[in-house]
mmCIF file of all heavy atoms in Angstrom:
data_model
loop_
_atom_site.group_PDB
_atom_site.id
_atom_site.type_symbol
_atom_site.label_atom_id
_atom_site.label_comp_id
_atom_site.label_asym_id
_atom_site.label_seq_id
_atom_site.Cartn_x
_atom_site.Cartn_y
_atom_site.Cartn_z
ATOM 1 N N THR A 39 149.001 97.819 -135.205
ATOM 2 C CA THR A 39 149.089 96.359 -135.141
ATOM 3 C C THR A 39 149.584 95.783 -136.456
ATOM 4 O O THR A 39 150.364 94.822 -136.479
ATOM 5 C CB THR A 39 147.711 95.762 -134.790
ATOM 6 O OG1 THR A 39 147.280 96.275 -133.528
ATOM 7 C CG2 THR A 39 147.774 94.241 -134.718
ATOM 8 N N LEU A 40 149.150 96.379 -137.561
ATOM 9 C CA LEU A 40 149.566 95.936 -138.895
ATOM 10 C C LEU A 40 150.942 96.470 -139.280
ATOM 11 O O LEU A 40 151.456 96.131 -140.347
ATOM 12 C CB LEU A 40 148.530 96.384 -139.938
ATOM 13 C CG LEU A 40 147.146 95.729 -139.839
ATOM 14 C CD1 LEU A 40 146.137 96.470 -140.699
ATOM 15 C CD2 LEU A 40 147.224 94.265 -140.257
ATOM 16 N N GLN A 41 151.518 97.330 -138.434
ATOM 17 C CA GLN A 41 152.828 97.936 -138.677
ATOM 18 C C GLN A 41 152.861 98.724 -139.987
ATOM 19 O O GLN A 41 153.824 98.645 -140.756
ATOM 20 C CB GLN A 41 153.925 96.861 -138.659
ATOM 21 C CG GLN A 41 154.048 96.160 -137.321
ATOM 22 C CD GLN A 41 155.187 95.156 -137.270
ATOM 23 O OE1 GLN A 41 155.869 94.929 -138.260
ATOM 24 N NE2 GLN A 41 155.390 94.552 -136.117
ATOM 25 N N LEU A 42 151.800 99.489 -140.210
ATOM 26 C CA LEU A 42 151.745 100.365 -141.384
ATOM 27 C C LEU A 42 152.405 101.692 -141.016
ATOM 28 O O LEU A 42 151.745 102.705 -140.778
ATOM 29 C CB LEU A 42 150.286 100.565 -141.820
ATOM 30 C CG LEU A 42 149.529 99.292 -142.209
ATOM 31 C CD1 LEU A 42 148.081 99.607 -142.567
ATOM 32 C CD2 LEU A 42 150.226 98.578 -143.361
ATOM 33 N N HIS A 43 153.711 101.698 -140.965
ATOM 34 C CA HIS A 43 154.453 102.826 -140.426
ATOM 35 C C HIS A 43 154.293 104.088 -141.275
ATOM 36 O O HIS A 43 154.265 105.202 -140.743
ATOM 37 C CB HIS A 43 155.933 102.459 -140.279
ATOM 38 C CG HIS A 43 156.173 101.282 -139.388
ATOM 39 N ND1 HIS A 43 155.809 101.280 -138.056
ATOM 40 C CD2 HIS A 43 156.702 100.055 -139.646
ATOM 41 C CE1 HIS A 43 156.130 100.126 -137.513
ATOM 42 N NE2 HIS A 43 156.672 99.354 -138.462
ATOM 43 N N GLY A 44 154.184 103.919 -142.594
ATOM 44 C CA GLY A 44 153.984 105.081 -143.452
ATOM 45 C C GLY A 44 152.663 105.761 -143.179
ATOM 46 O O GLY A 44 152.583 107.001 -143.102
ATOM 47 N N VAL A 45 151.617 104.965 -143.000
ATOM 48 C CA VAL A 45 150.293 105.511 -142.687
ATOM 49 C C VAL A 45 150.326 106.200 -141.330
ATOM 50 O O VAL A 45 149.778 107.300 -141.158
ATOM 51 C CB VAL A 45 149.230 104.395 -142.707
ATOM 52 C CG1 VAL A 45 147.892 104.903 -142.164
ATOM 53 C CG2 VAL A 45 149.052 103.849 -144.123
ATOM 54 N N LEU A 46 150.979 105.587 -140.350
ATOM 55 C CA LEU A 46 151.060 106.185 -139.018
ATOM 56 C C LEU A 46 151.840 107.495 -139.030
ATOM 57 O O LEU A 46 151.480 108.451 -138.320
ATOM 58 C CB LEU A 46 151.715 105.196 -138.049
ATOM 59 C CG LEU A 46 150.904 103.934 -137.722
ATOM 60 C CD1 LEU A 46 151.768 102.920 -136.990
ATOM 61 C CD2 LEU A 46 149.679 104.283 -136.887
ATOM 62 N N ALA A 47 152.897 107.571 -139.843
ATOM 63 C CA ALA A 47 153.707 108.788 -139.909
ATOM 64 C C ALA A 47 152.932 109.954 -140.516
ATOM 65 O O ALA A 47 153.209 111.123 -140.217
ATOM 66 C CB ALA A 47 154.974 108.529 -140.718
ATOM 67 N N HIS A 48 151.960 109.634 -141.358
ATOM 68 C CA HIS A 48 151.144 110.677 -142.011
ATOM 69 C C HIS A 48 149.679 110.542 -141.598
ATOM 70 O O HIS A 48 148.776 110.737 -142.412
ATOM 71 C CB HIS A 48 151.284 110.563 -143.529
ATOM 72 C CG HIS A 48 152.689 110.757 -144.024
ATOM 73 N ND1 HIS A 48 153.222 112.001 -144.272
ATOM 74 C CD2 HIS A 48 153.673 109.854 -144.274
ATOM 75 C CE1 HIS A 48 154.479 111.864 -144.679
ATOM 76 N NE2 HIS A 48 154.778 110.570 -144.684
ATOM 77 N N TRP A 49 149.467 110.195 -140.311
ATOM 78 C CA TRP A 49 148.112 109.894 -139.846
ATOM 79 C C TRP A 49 147.142 111.063 -140.042
ATOM 80 O O TRP A 49 145.993 110.866 -140.442
ATOM 81 C CB TRP A 49 148.129 109.470 -138.389
ATOM 82 C CG TRP A 49 146.768 109.042 -137.916
ATOM 83 C CD1 TRP A 49 145.909 109.719 -137.113
ATOM 84 C CD2 TRP A 49 146.112 107.821 -138.276
ATOM 85 N NE1 TRP A 49 144.754 109.005 -136.936
ATOM 86 C CE2 TRP A 49 144.852 107.819 -137.641
ATOM 87 C CE3 TRP A 49 146.476 106.724 -139.055
ATOM 88 C CZ2 TRP A 49 143.944 106.784 -137.774
ATOM 89 C CZ3 TRP A 49 145.577 105.676 -139.179
ATOM 90 C CH2 TRP A 49 144.322 105.714 -138.543
ATOM 91 N N ALA A 50 147.588 112.261 -139.772
ATOM 92 C CA ALA A 50 146.695 113.419 -139.908
ATOM 93 C C ALA A 50 146.162 113.542 -141.327
ATOM 94 O O ALA A 50 145.003 113.951 -141.533
ATOM 95 C CB ALA A 50 147.443 114.690 -139.510
ATOM 96 N N GLU A 51 146.964 113.184 -142.308
ATOM 97 C CA GLU A 51 146.524 113.259 -143.700
ATOM 98 C C GLU A 51 145.672 112.053 -144.085
ATOM 99 O O GLU A 51 144.712 112.186 -144.855
ATOM 100 C CB GLU A 51 147.743 113.345 -144.640
ATOM 101 C CG GLU A 51 148.690 114.500 -144.333
ATOM 102 C CD GLU A 51 150.054 114.279 -144.953
ATOM 103 O OE1 GLU A 51 150.108 113.965 -146.160
ATOM 104 O OE2 GLU A 51 151.066 114.403 -144.220
ATOM 105 N N CYS A 52 146.017 110.894 -143.555
ATOM 106 C CA CYS A 52 145.343 109.651 -143.962
ATOM 107 C C CYS A 52 144.009 109.427 -143.262
ATOM 108 O O CYS A 52 143.118 108.767 -143.807
ATOM 109 C CB CYS A 52 146.251 108.451 -143.692
ATOM 110 S SG CYS A 52 147.803 108.453 -144.597
#
Side-chain angles (χ1 to χ4, degrees):
T39 301
L40 293 167
Q41 298 184 357
L42 300 178
H43 301 299
V45 171
L46 292 169
H48 299 275
W49 185 255
E51 304 161 50
C52 298

